[in-house]
Amino acid sequence: MVGIYLIGAIIVIGYHFTDIPWAFGEIIRGAFSKHAAFGGFVGVLMIGVQRAAFSNEAGIGSASIAHAAAKTDEPISEGIVALLEPFIDTVVVCTMTALVIIITQNAPEASVALANDAEKIALTSRSFASVIPWFPPILAMAVILFALSTMIAWSYYGLKAWTYLFGESKASENIYKLIFCIMVIVGSAVSSSSVFNFGDAMIFAMCFPNVLGLYFLAPEVKADLKDYFARVKSGEIKKFG
């Protein structure tokens, strides 16, 4: 799904490759303009944090559930691997999406500011279609795959939390799976704005205690990181091995 999306983005950006410096210039000018500094800074910051947390899950503690299942003798190396996730997801994929929208000039500033989440999805589709007319159906399939993979991953995260609280029994797991399936039906029946708002609220509810816990664990993580790199430097273990 990522491959399909990135190939489409590369084709669109490549088609307008002479406008790439201009597009980055527009991003930088928009970020440091007077309007951004005085009028929209707080709002843009809030929206940016919401979408970033929703996109890469950084700071909310979910990725640690997946990485905890990895078999490794060096937890620090697994943590370093985990650092690649927000970079690829946000810095690479989201930057390419922004470039596609800006470089095709399908997004007047006012329309983006006033658009809801569904309209922003349609805007992305139109931007791809301006260069690849037959791409929107493929993009729709990629979005469906993104959604399905997210559902599968989060069902696993929720299951681990549920069994931690209520025990690892067949009955307990089946109850959770039933609740999860019901919530999927409910979520598909309500408006997308309500789903995003509820998701943002729940992500904040997860983020606050997780980040607070990270502050308490920071000294131990720092000591482990220092010990790991000392052993890498001495040749005791292979780098990131």
Side-chain angles (χ1 to χ4, degrees):
M1 63 182 181
V2 176
I4 293 171
Y5 190 85
L6 290 182
I7 289 172
I10 290 170
I11 292 173
V12 174
I13 295 171
Y15 186 82
H16 295 279
F17 74 95
T18 56
D19 294 326
I20 293 176
W22 168 82
F24 276 110
E26 286 295 298
I27 293 172
I28 294 171
R29 279 191 293 273
F32 295 99
S33 67
K34 292 181 180 179
H35 173 74
F38 299 105
F41 176 77
V42 175
V44 170
L45 181 64
M46 291 175 60
I47 296 299
V49 171
Q50 288 174 355
R51 295 283 73 82
F54 197 89
S55 173
N56 61 37
E57 305 174 19
I60 66 176
S62 58
S64 57
I65 299 175
H67 288 282
K71 294 182 179 180
T72 177
D73 296 326
E74 299 293 342
I76 294 296
S77 68
E78 187 66 24
I80 293 171
V81 172
L83 291 174
L84 292 173
E85 295 176 1
F87 174 80
I88 294 172
D89 183 73
T90 303
V91 177
V92 176
V93 176
C94 291
T95 298
M96 293 183 74
T97 302
L99 284 175
V100 166
I101 294 173
I102 294 171
I103 212 167
T104 57
Q105 302 185 46
N106 274 288
E109 185 176 348
S111 68
V112 175
L114 298 174
N116 58 36
D117 291 301
E119 290 169 343
K120 291 173 184 176
I121 294 171
L123 170 64
T124 305
S125 181
R126 289 198 304 272
S127 299
F128 277 97
S130 66
V131 175
I132 315 173
W134 46 265
F135 193 72
I138 297 176
L139 179 62
M141 288 302 301
V143 171
I144 291 172
L145 292 175
F146 273 115
L148 289 175
S149 64
T150 300
M151 289 168 59
I152 293 170
W154 276 93
S155 68
Y156 174 75
Y157 296 157
L159 179 62
K160 294 294 103 178
W162 179 275
T163 54
Y164 177 81
L165 293 173
F166 301 106
E168 295 187 11
S169 67
K170 197 68 176 177
S172 176
E173 292 185 7
N174 288 335
I175 291 172
Y176 167 80
K177 292 174 182 177
L178 177 61
I179 295 173
F180 183 85
C181 290
I182 292 173
M183 290 299 103
V184 170
I185 297 172
V186 173
S188 63
V190 300
S191 65
S192 61
S193 60
S194 298
V195 172
F196 278 110
N197 291 337
F198 180 76
D200 290 336
M202 293 300 100
I203 285 175
F204 177 77
M206 294 174 61
C207 185
F208 181 76
N210 183 68
V211 173
L212 184 63
L214 292 177
Y215 277 106
F216 287 106
L217 291 173
E220 181 178 345
V221 174
K222 182 179 179 180
D224 290 342
L225 189 64
K226 184 177 180 180
D227 173 70
Y228 175 79
F229 280 113
R231 287 185 290 124
V232 169
K233 189 174 181 180
S234 67
E236 182 180 341
I237 57 175
K238 293 181 179 180
K239 192 174 184 181
F240 307 143

